[in-house]
Amino acid sequence: MQKDPIQLTSPPLGTGARADAININCVGSSVGNGGVALSNMDSETASAYRRRSLCSFDQPGVVMTKLPQELEDSQHEFGSKLVVIMVGLPARGKSYLVKKLQRYLTWLQYDTKVFNVGNRRRTASKGDNKNGTSHSHAFFDPKNSAAKTIRDELALESLEELISWLKQGGRVGIHDATNSSRERRKMLLNRLESEPNCRVLFIESICTDPVVLAHNISMKLSSPDYKGMDQAQARADFKKRLENYERAYQTLDEEDEEDGIQYCKLINVGKKVIAYNIQGYLAGQCIFYLMNFNLSPRCIWLTRHGESVDNLVGKIGGDAALSAKGRKYGACLSRFINYQRQINEMSRRLDVEAGMAMAPRRGKTVAVWTSMLTRTKETVEELDPKEYDIKHIRSLNEIYAGICEGLSYNQIEQIYPEEFEARRVNKLFYRYPGMGGESYLDVIQRLNPLIIELERMTSDLLIVTHRVVLRILLGYLMDIDRSKMPEMEVQLHTLYCVEPKPHGTVVRKFKWVEEIDWFVEDIA
C-alpha cells in the first residue's frame, strides 16, 4: 500500500494534532516547539541542524527532509517558519492583502494564521474605556505617550502569541498592524532575534489611487471601531486618526535595509512592486503571489465536463468521450456563457460611467480553460475560438489514479481493499499506487501556476475540468477548510460563478435543468 511518506512522520495538516513527548532513557532535552524530547541532541544542536540546511525549497507533502534518527519524530518541526510583518497606514488594503495571502498559503498546505493587533486592542478596551485603549483618534496621537506605550504592548502581545503558535507547529504567522514607525519595527525585530528558526518578511502596502482609497475608507467606517456611530462623526474621527498616523509614518527604506531585513513594498495593489533581499522559497512564493493579483471586476466560471460514457458505468480516470446528455450540457453551457458575457459587459460599462469602477475596463474577450482530456474539450466545442481565448491545459487534468485507472470505486474496494481504506481515511494525503499515481497534494502543486495566472487575469474566465481539480480550485477560491475540501460535493452539470471582491468573494451556483435546457440559480 503506497502512502505519502509525510504521514509517517507528521500528523495530517489541519488536524491540530501535535507529537506527544517521547521519553527516552538517556540524557536529552526538549526542542522547545512541539514537546518532543531528543536523544543525544539538545535544543541548541537541533536549531543548528535547522540552520545548516542549504536549500529552502519546502512543499508540504511533496518535500520531506531526511533527519538523523534522534530527530525523526519531530519531522514536522523542520519546515521553514516565516513571520510576516505588515506595514502601512490605515485604509491602505493591508487586511485585504493579509486575507489573500493567508488563503493562498493555507491552500498550499502551510499552516497560516493572522494575528490582528486591532482586534486585540478592541478586546482589551471592551466594556472599559478608562484603561486608555479607547477607539477615538486621540489614542493614536504620536504625542500621546501613555497610549503609545499601550499600543506597543498590544503589538508585542500579538507577536508573543504568534511565536507561541509557530512553536506549536504553525508555519506562517502574519502580524497584522500598521507598524508604521521604524521604532515599532525595530522593537518587533529585537524580539524575533531570539527566535533563530524564524525568518522575517516585511510587507508594506501603499495606496495612492483616490478611487481605491475612498472605497477603503468607506469600508473602515463600517468596522467595529465605529459601530453605532453617526457616519459624519465617524468619518471626521477617522480622518483625524489618519492624520495622526501620517505624522509618525516612516516608510521602509535604506535605513531599514541596514538591519539586513527582507521586505516588499506593494504600491496600488501590485501595480508597482519593490522587493529587497528576499531570501528563501516561502518568502519568494509570497512575493510572487502578491505581485500578480488585481482588483479588476471579473467572473470566474467553473464546472465539471458534461457527462461522459465512463460516468454512466462509474469508471474513474481514462479519456472517455461525452455521452449524448453530456453533449447537450456542453451546448447549453456555451449559450449560457454567451448570455452572461453580454450582461456582465453592460453592468461594468455602467460602473465605469458612474465612476464606481476600481480598475479600468478591459477587453471583452473571455478566456476558456479546459484540461487536455477529451470530455472537457468536447464540453466547449460550441464556443467560437474567434470570440473566446480557448486553451487546453494539462495541469487541469483529473487526478491520475495509477493502477486504479479505469476501475470503479466498487472494483477498487474489491481488488485493492487496503488502498480503498487508506484513501477513505486520509483522502488529502493518500497517493494512488503505481507509476504516476497522484495525491490531492500533488494536484495542488501542479495547479499552483494556474492560481497565479488566475489572480493575474483581468478578463472573465470559464474553467471546465474534473471532480478533484474542481474541488481544489473551489477550495482556494472559497477558502474552504482543507479537511472539508476533499469531501466537497461537486456534481456533474453544475456551474459555479465566483466573483472576487475587495471585501471577500461572492459565489453563485447554477444547475442545468435538462427539461428546460437552461441553467437555474440554486438559491439554497
Side-chain angles (χ1 to χ4, degrees), residues 375-407:
R375 52 195 183 273
T376 62
K377 292 179 180 179
E378 290 184 345
T379 301
V380 300
E381 270 187 342
E382 296 201 17
L383 288 176
D384 187 349
K386 293 179 181 178
E387 297 184 15
Y388 293 87
D389 180 17
I390 303 174
K391 286 183 169 55
H392 307 304
I393 304 172
R394 192 172 300 279
S395 300
L396 289 171
N397 283 7
E398 180 60 302
I399 188 172
Y400 187 69
I403 63 174
C404 298
E405 281 280 308
L407 300 177

Side-chain angles (χ1 to χ4, degrees), residues 31-33 47 50-51 81-83 159-168 188-200:
V31 168
N33 57 344
S47 295
R50 287 186 182 92
R51 292 194 296 272
K81 306 279 184 176
L82 182 65
V83 177
L159 184 62
E160 291 295 341
E161 185 182 359
L162 183 157
I163 292 170
S164 176
W165 178 78
L166 288 178
K167 288 182 176 181
Q168 294 173 23
L188 299 177
L189 272 177
N190 289 339
R191 170 62 187 89
L192 286 165
E193 282 180 357
S194 60
E195 303 296 334
N197 302 320
C198 296
R199 292 179 181 266
V200 182

